Amino acid sequence: MLISTKGRYSLRVMIDLAEHQAEGYIPLKTVAERQEISEKYLESIIKLLVKKRFLAGLRGKGGGYRLTRTPEQYTVYSILELTEESLSPVSCLEDGAAPCPRMAECRTLPLWQGLDQVIRDYLEGITLADLMHREGDWSEYVI
């Protein structure tokens, strides 16, 4: 699994907006400057996040974007799931994948299913609030 630039940037944008939520609606230009992301590229990410109701937008003077929920209510998995085609380690586990004809004899299927569950559990266990207040070593995660 390789997280795309779009996925990484969506997390950065969401964290930025979470950290500045007390300021109300934040202009796209402000987020782009703080995160050093092209405003044009950021538009496509924001559009998706608004469409899926992760963000609310307001046009005009005093407009911009803000979270629709508290930072504790957004998991890393839910954000990446929007921007990535798949978070599955193998194609046969992707949503909507055709059943593999070798599934009954596949010796590695349980391995991939287990890895898929570990990835999901790990990313579901981290919220925007956790990323905002990151302390300690993330490598201390115990399965």
Side-chain angles (χ1 to χ4, degrees):
M1 172 182 71
L2 183 64
I3 304 299
S4 69
T5 301
K6 191 173 187 178
R8 294 190 317 270
Y9 284 5
S10 66
L11 282 172
R12 286 173 48 188
V13 166
M14 294 291 287
I15 294 165
D16 186 287
L17 291 172
E19 290 174 337
H20 295 91
Q21 63 187 335
E23 299 168 27
Y25 287 91
I26 308 295
L28 180 69
K29 182 177 183 173
T30 302
V31 177
E33 288 172 358
R34 281 195 297 241
Q35 293 302 314
E36 299 176 349
I37 300 172
S38 155
E39 194 172 341
K40 184 80 173 159
Y41 189 65
L42 194 55
E43 285 175 4
S44 66
I45 294 170
I46 293 282
K47 184 177 181 178
L48 176 62
L49 294 169
V50 169
K51 181 180 178 184
K52 296 298 184 174
R53 295 190 172 109
F54 277 44
L55 299 178
L58 181 66
R59 293 183 183 208
K61 187 172 166 83
Y65 298 92
R66 66 170 177 78
L67 301 180
T68 57
R69 298 177 253 162
T70 66
E72 293 80 12
Q73 293 175 304
Y74 295 95
T75 66
V76 170
Y77 188 86
S78 68
I79 296 165
L80 292 178
E81 189 177 38
L82 291 178
T83 57
E84 302 302 307
E85 286 185 26
S86 173
L87 295 173
S88 297
V90 290
S91 62
C92 65
L93 295 178
E94 292 176 356
D95 289 338
C100 176
R102 293 192 26 81
M103 191 173 274
E105 308 86 40
C106 184
R107 301 277 186 182
T108 59
L109 182 59
L111 166 77
W112 302 128
Q113 288 171 326
L115 179 57
D116 189 48
Q117 192 61 52
V118 168
I119 291 168
R120 180 181 299 264
D121 290 347
Y122 180 70
L123 296 177
E124 282 284 0
I126 302 171
T127 67
L128 277 185
D130 295 328
L131 296 175
M132 288 171 55
H133 308 294
R134 181 177 172 217
E135 293 179 19
D137 183 359
W138 285 91
S139 66
E140 294 176 10
Y141 180 76
V142 178
I143 299 171

